[in-house]
Amino acid sequence: MLSTNAADLLAQIRVHGAVPRHVAIIMDGNGRWARERRMPRPYGHRSGMRAVREVVEGAVEAGLEVLSLFAFSQENWQRPPAEITALMSLLEEYVAREADELHQRGVRVCALGALERLTPEASAAVARVMAQTAGNDRITLNLFVSYSARAELVRAARLLAEDAAAGRVDASAIDEAAFASRLYTASCPDPDLLIRTSGEQRISNFLLWQLAYAELFISPVLWPDFTRAELYGAIRDFQLRERRFGRVPA
Ligand code: FPP
């Protein structure tokens, strides 16, 4: 059931017409949300899973092509073991619980990052949902797990170097398109809009190449409290901006 606020905002978004093709979100503030309730951090992550469900539904309704969620960074492997275990279990639980519904809604799920570091259970769950939803084309849901943008850029450089050494590409012909085609996001348009929750104003090693021209929207809301209406508010704000891509106003 849509809240009145969310329904109004969605109507306004539709009147305007153009929605961002690709929205990326740094889901931040789970730990603080839990601390405010004197609860352990994993409680915040579990509550954050509800917001993930709501935002995915909202993105489908709004007609986005791609939704990218930063679920777990490579730096997050340095968190306490209990928190890492909780996050891996949540990932496993999320895909196991939501897979059928995501599939029915036409969502194609892609997990992107150094997936070889995931627990075998999380890795298997992710592989299953990716295979199940591979043929869907209503929206792509990118789940960035064990992800670092710098590592992704180094990986792309390594792949290009290997192709050049093997004679598959001519080094002097390497251009931006050749580089982008070696990124995890090769098949996706760049994000038009980056949302970060919890008021923090950082990119935190997320999609450093792809965010070159993204509009930034910083929400003060902690991730577990982020609703569909918040997503629609950010999209509405985006629609009111003038994007110039380094050019002068039209
Ligand atoms: C950042 O909050 C959030 C994370 C590191 C994990 C995000 C995970 C989820 C939203 C739940 C699972 C998601 C999926 C897709 C299954 P933080 O812990 O850094 O918060 P803090 O800055 O307040 O400490």
Side-chain angles (χ1 to χ4, degrees), residues 99-130:
D100 287 344
E101 197 178 328
L102 290 167
H103 185 44
Q104 276 158 20
R105 286 179 187 269
V107 180
R108 182 169 76 109
V109 181
C110 296
L112 307 176
L115 304 182
E116 65 282 358
R117 292 189 71 182
L118 300 185
T119 59
E121 296 79 13
S123 171
V126 156
R128 259 197 318 275
V129 74
M130 284 174 68

Side-chain angles (χ1 to χ4, degrees), residues 23 36 102 107 124 139-140 142 162 168 192 202 230 242:
V23 174
E36 282 175 2
L102 290 167
V107 180
I139 185 172
T140 297
N142 289 328
E162 285 168 4
R168 289 187 291 267
D192 305 291
R202 287 188 293 279
E230 311 286 345
E242 182 192 27

Side-chain angles (χ1 to χ4, degrees), residues 3-249:
S3 70
T4 316
N5 192 16
D8 284 351
L9 285 164
L10 185 57
Q12 286 175 34
I13 286 170
R14 288 191 170 140
V15 167
H16 186 281
V19 290
R21 294 177 69 192
H22 182 173
V23 174
I25 307 184
I26 300 177
M27 308 182 287
D28 196 12
N30 294 349
R32 276 162 283 170
W33 190 91
R35 196 169 61 232
E36 282 175 2
R37 288 158 181 79
R38 299 180 192 283
M39 296 295 279
R41 298 175 56 82
Y43 179 71
H45 297 315
R46 174 165 288 283
S47 305
M49 205 163 71
R50 273 203 312 267
V52 169
R53 189 173 313 127
E54 162 130 2
V55 162
V56 171
E57 283 176 21
V60 172
E61 289 302 312
L64 305 187
E65 267 176 58
V66 186
L67 176 67
S68 287
L69 301 179
F70 200 2
F72 191 87
S73 70
Q74 281 208 23
E75 293 74 23
N76 289 156
W77 289 113
Q78 291 157 35
R79 291 193 175 194
E83 185 171 346
I84 293 174
T85 305
L87 279 164
M88 285 295 117
S89 308
L90 273 184
L91 177 63
E92 200 187 321
E93 186 181 322
Y94 173 76
V95 288
R97 206 200 292 166
E98 304 285 321
D100 287 344
E101 197 178 328
L102 290 167
H103 185 44
Q104 276 158 20
R105 286 179 187 269
V107 180
R108 182 169 76 109
V109 181
C110 296
L112 307 176
L115 304 182
E116 65 282 358
R117 292 189 71 182
L118 300 185
T119 59
E121 296 79 13
S123 171
V126 156
R128 259 197 318 275
V129 74
M130 284 174 68
Q132 182 182 2
T133 62
N136 295 338
D137 60 5
R138 189 163 179 205
I139 185 172
T140 297
L141 172 61
N142 289 328
L143 297 177
F144 285 85
V145 280
S146 189
Y147 174 81
S148 144
R150 285 188 171 180
E152 178 188 32
L153 294 171
V154 169
R155 175 179 172 274
R158 192 185 317 116
L159 292 173
L160 272 175
E162 285 168 4
D163 285 344
R168 289 187 291 267
V169 299
D170 174 359
S172 65
I174 292 173
D175 57 8
E176 291 187 12
F179 196 84
S181 72
R182 268 83 176 174
L183 298 173
Y184 293 128
T185 50
S187 61
C188 297
D190 285 342
D192 305 291
L193 173 63
L194 172 72
I195 300 172
R196 181 167 188 149
T197 59
S198 89
E200 303 288 347
Q201 306 189 27
R202 287 188 293 279
I203 297 200
S204 298
N205 204 7
F206 189 42
L207 298 174
L208 294 179
W209 171 283
Q210 299 89 333
L211 290 172
Y213 287 102
E215 294 292 322
L216 308 184
F217 184 90
I218 307 295
S219 164
V221 173
L222 302 179
W223 177 252
D225 289 331
F226 198 81
T227 60
R228 195 187 299 221
E230 311 286 345
L231 172 70
Y232 292 164
I235 293 176
R236 210 40 218 119
D237 189 86
F238 169 87
Q239 288 180 323
L240 299 172
R241 298 188 192 182
E242 182 192 27
R243 299 181 81 197
R244 293 201 295 275
F245 301 96
R247 296 187 292 262
V248 293

